[in-house]
Amino acid sequence: MDVDRFDPIPLYQQVARAIRDRIKSGDLKPRDRIPSESELVAEHGIARETARRGIALLRSEGWVVTLPQRGTFVADEPGTPPAAR
């Protein structure tokens, strides 16, 4: 999925949606590593901060967890906000 620069939806939300859709479809399963910020930058032609904000949005929604020095992975219970666990 490419981001659409003419879409009124912010780019970071489009990136988050693309990853969320991959999780929902089963392409990414719990504990799978999601693309890194660098990979998202290269794949979508976006700024690193845009990739960072997209991942942060997914983290706040409970779709992914970030482990320092290891990467970001699909949560065991994707889509469950951290406060509800």
Side-chain angles (χ1 to χ4, degrees), residues 25-77:
S25 74
D27 183 38
L28 290 171
K29 295 174 181 45
R31 298 189 174 204
D32 281 353
R33 187 177 77 72
I34 68 164
S36 67
E37 290 175 7
S38 297
E39 291 167 334
L40 291 171
V41 167
E43 180 181 342
H44 297 289
I46 56 175
R48 182 173 292 275
E49 182 59 26
T50 301
R52 189 172 289 137
R53 287 182 68 190
I55 292 170
L57 176 60
L58 292 169
R59 189 180 312 112
S60 71
E61 294 173 344
W63 290 99
V64 300
V65 293
T66 300
L67 303 175
Q69 306 297 317
R70 295 186 196 150
T72 302
F73 301 84
V74 177
D76 285 333
E77 298 176 36

